[in-house]
Amino acid sequence: MAHPSIDEAPSPEVTDATAVPDEIIRADIAIIGSGMGGGTMAYALKDSGARIVVIERGHRLPAEPENSDLDEVYLKGRYKNADTWYNGRTGQPFKPGVYYWVGGNTKVYGACLPRFRASDFEETRHADGVSPAWPFSYADLEPYYTRAEELFKVRGQVGEDPTEPFHSKAYPYPALDHEPVIEDLAGALRKQGLHPFRMSNGLDADTPEKRALCATSDGAPNEAGLKSDAERIAVDPALDSGNVTLMTDSKVTRLITGDDGRTVIAALVERNDQVVRVEAEKFILAAGAVNSAALLLQSATTEHPRGLANSSGLVGRNYMVHNSTFFIGINPFKVNRTMWQKTLGLNDWYESGPTTPYPLGNLQMLGKLRASMLKMARSWAPNPILKLMSDRSIDIYLTTEDLPRRQNGVSVVNGQIHVWWEPNNLEPHKELVRRVSRAVRRAGYPVIFTERMGIETNSHQCGTAVAGQDPRTSVLNPDCRAHDLDNLWVVDSSFFPSSAALNPALTIAANSLRVAEKILASGGDPQSLPFQRRGELR
């Protein structure tokens, strides 16, 4: 049932958590989620001496020929395994852009790994209001950005983008060069006085042979293992340490607090039609901004009637996803044979300036669109026409900052996730589309198609458990520990006070490294609580 606003959605249900589980697993640290936040956290803590269990609701995505079969990936949705969510305002169901695999969304991401700009951490005036300051600065996170770039083998070049913030070290690998059609586009943009640059990327694609193996890897898995995803880069090395155990096909349904109301003592997990109770000294939540908020809401108790960590009433609020547009430019007389197109970025209008009174956002390339991908959006169009278009197109993704709003958020109704999202800050996004259209036409692509993304395009979701200094206006402290709980941290993009206008993955990883250091510095010697067994628990 739809409600006019999230404020009228039902309150969290306080349920009984005393049922006898089928199995009990004990650990020092439990990490919920194995994507960019949880996987990086497991890696950062693997040599701490603590016994760690990573709980993942999915399992390992198989490396198989279908990874690069466009019909399987896009038309049949072979790897889309998320539950149905609902538009809170209309009640309409939709399939969200989230994936439940070991490695989370990074199994299918385009491995675009930029740092946020220094201004993204500061209070910034936008056309529709203010983007709030973060409780720590870019300078505070910079050393961890450097470590994250080294861990995820990021390729890039400092100095090409005028908005690039200070780097204490160069990128660990050289930037991926443009292929000929994209180099021509970059040259045409430079002639217009713009500053295209080689986008930082976590893809091992520095030869034509590797490019061919990565041609379909934006939005799809990479069978060859050339993508810096969280499973390969972080989770597997953590397991190799011998201190980390992975539970797969295991969905956490509730967090249980002790008698003091300030300590999480267990997580209830559904696995193979059984209930497993995972007990630990510390809990780290990294299930994604929507699912993490939903879990906190579903864990309501008499001491926490609005949900765990929710004395501020902000759990699930301030949901942001970016204003984003798919942009296609076509030159009917020029075939684009680019294999890996996602090498070019443009931030000339990212920050306000003499010709830009308010920030507009970021331009980056999409992985090369193919007819099957267009068919997913235009099922009525004949395949030959779609192939004719995609063979001659350049494909761009435009993002503008989505500002935090209390009325945009997440609620749980009868166990179903409802997302409430009304886009804001749209005029700057429309202006970004206009400016890019003008620049792309001048670059030789006279035919332009655009489509703004809706509620189901939410891979950049953030903001549902914001970090801040004041417990009245934030859910987490600056170290991402819940204000209301002594042993719960949230390290996915839930903590973002603002969305910026760039891909969030590297910032999530850098922050996980930062928070891991805080946990180790404050935690003392871990208690040795035995696992029932080592390795992967299925």
Side-chain angles (χ1 to χ4, degrees):
M1 177 180 178
H3 300 270
S5 76
I6 190 174
D7 296 308
E8 298 181 38
S11 298
E13 182 181 359
V14 178
T15 57
D16 180 29
T18 60
V20 177
D22 298 291
E23 183 181 3
I24 297 176
I25 293 174
R26 295 185 175 90
D28 296 318
I29 300 172
I31 300 173
I32 301 166
S34 66
M36 189 59 98
T40 303
M41 180 62 71
Y43 180 91
L45 298 177
K46 66 183 175 65
D47 298 322
S48 66
R51 297 192 176 201
I52 300 164
V53 59
V54 178
I55 309 168
E56 169 56 50
R57 70 187 293 174
H59 52 265
R60 289 189 183 270
L61 192 154
E64 56 187 4
E66 288 84 356
N67 289 171
S68 55
D69 185 319
L70 298 178
D71 287 349
E72 286 287 333
V73 173
Y74 294 101
L75 297 183
K76 297 180 182 179
R78 184 180 183 89
Y79 302 108
K80 294 200 77 169
N81 57 1
D83 301 332
T84 298
W85 293 354
Y86 294 84
N87 184 324
R89 291 184 170 86
T90 67
Q92 292 298 308
F94 67 94
K95 281 293 185 182
V98 297
Y99 295 80
Y100 304 142
W101 302 102
V102 177
N105 280 9
T106 67
K107 294 304 295 181
V108 299
Y109 78 155
C112 188
L113 294 170
R115 299 182 179 203
F116 282 3
R117 313 293 89 168
S119 61
D120 289 324
F121 295 82
E122 302 165 355
E123 182 176 289
T124 304
R125 173 65 61 179
H126 288 261
D128 268 13
V130 172
S131 178
W134 289 35
F136 51 87
S137 68
Y138 172 79
D140 293 329
L141 196 59
E142 197 284 329
Y144 304 98
Y145 269 132
T146 297
R147 287 172 52 189
E149 286 166 348
E150 292 170 349
L151 176 61
F152 283 88
K153 306 180 189 307
V154 179
R155 290 158 168 76
Q157 178 61 54
V158 177
E160 294 183 350
D161 173 15
T163 71
E164 182 86 14
F166 166 75
H167 283 236
S168 56
K169 291 179 67 174
Y171 283 101
Y173 295 89
L176 294 177
D177 288 328
H178 305 314
E179 294 175 52
V181 168
I182 305 306
E183 182 57 51
D184 288 347
L185 173 63
L189 294 175
R190 290 189 199 100
K191 288 179 181 177
Q192 298 177 46
L194 300 173
H195 302 85
F197 59 93
R198 289 174 293 172
M199 198 75 173
S200 52
N201 199 279
L203 199 72
D204 182 8
D206 55 358
T207 68
E209 294 76 18
K210 289 179 180 178
R211 293 273 173 115
L213 294 172
C214 297
T216 62
S217 293
D218 187 13
N222 181 254
E223 182 186 358
L226 298 175
K227 186 188 294 187
S228 289
D229 63 62
E231 177 191 31
R232 185 172 71 88
I233 294 294
V235 175
D236 285 346
L239 295 176
D240 289 342
S241 72
N243 294 321
V244 180
T245 299
L246 175 65
M247 294 174 62
T248 57
D249 296 305
S250 301
K251 179 182 177 181
V252 178
T253 59
R254 183 179 179 83
L255 298 175
I256 301 171
T257 52
D259 293 338
D260 63 359
R262 288 201 58 88
T263 306
V264 179
I265 60 172
L268 292 186
V269 182
E270 290 181 354
R271 187 183 69 187
N272 299 329
D273 298 321
Q274 292 188 323
V275 175
V276 179
R277 180 181 168 106
V278 177
E279 299 177 352
E281 297 297 309
K282 297 179 175 68
F283 287 82
I284 298 168
L285 183 52
V290 170
N291 281 309
S292 287
L295 178 60
L296 293 173
L297 293 172
Q298 289 173 302
S299 300
T301 67
T302 52
E303 294 88 0
H304 302 277
R306 295 195 289 183
L308 285 191
N310 200 22
S311 63
S312 64
L314 292 176
V315 168
R317 304 289 185 144
N318 296 308
Y319 172 76
M320 297 168 280
V321 288
H322 287 152
N323 297 308
S324 55
T325 289
F326 275 21
F327 181 108
I328 298 174
I330 297 174
N331 181 336
F333 308 105
K334 185 175 185 178
V335 174
N336 182 3
R337 295 188 173 86
T338 303
M339 289 181 286
W340 183 248
Q341 189 173 246
K342 205 173 179 70
T343 56
L344 182 145
L346 186 76
N347 281 333
D348 283 58
W349 305 302
Y350 192 90
E351 299 174 314
S352 59
T355 63
T356 311
Y358 297 107
L360 302 185
N362 166 258
L363 177 158
Q364 63 184 262
M365 305 302 294
L366 290 163
K368 186 68 197 78
L369 292 184
R370 318 287 175 178
S372 295
M373 303 175 190
L374 296 177
K375 188 74 171 178
M376 186 172 60
R378 297 290 184 270
S379 58
W380 49 266
N383 283 340
I385 297 297
L386 295 177
K387 186 176 188 307
L388 190 72
M389 292 174 58
S390 61
D391 284 351
R392 290 160 177 79
S393 71
I394 56 166
D395 316 295
I396 292 170
Y397 193 61
L398 301 176
T399 56
T400 300
E401 186 158 345
D402 181 24
L403 302 178
R405 293 287 185 265
R406 184 182 173 86
Q407 63 269 28
N408 284 344
V410 179
S411 64
V412 181
V413 182
N414 298 323
Q416 296 173 332
I417 289 176
H418 290 236
V419 175
W420 308 76
W421 181 60
E422 185 69 29
N424 62 64
N425 207 35
L426 285 176
E427 283 307 313
H429 189 65
K430 294 174 183 176
E431 178 62 19
L432 178 64
V433 173
R434 285 191 288 267
R435 294 192 186 194
V436 172
S437 297
R438 186 163 56 244
V440 168
R441 286 193 175 101
R442 290 174 177 170
Y445 295 86
V447 182
I448 302 293
F449 295 94
T450 66
E451 181 169 353
R452 191 160 61 84
M453 298 295 97
I455 195 170
E456 71 286 344
T457 304
N458 52 11
S459 56
H460 293 179
Q461 60 185 257
C462 62
T464 58
V466 296
Q469 299 283 355
D470 189 343
R472 296 169 298 179
T473 57
S474 59
V475 177
L476 311 173
N477 72 13
D479 295 340
C480 292
R481 182 179 61 78
H483 288 299
D484 301 346
L485 297 156
D486 296 330
N487 67 334
L488 175 68
W489 291 261
V490 183
V491 295
D492 54 33
S493 56
S494 300
F495 84 88
F496 285 22
S498 65
S499 70
L502 288 165
N503 311 56
L506 189 74
T507 300
I508 296 170
N511 184 64
S512 278
L513 295 174
R514 181 185 73 93
V515 174
E517 199 169 90
K518 303 286 186 181
I519 292 172
L520 291 173
S522 64
D525 294 329
Q527 298 182 24
S528 297
L529 298 176
F531 283 117
Q532 291 190 333
R533 51 188 166 174
R534 294 279 184 176
E536 293 190 25
L537 301 174
R538 299 186 183 278

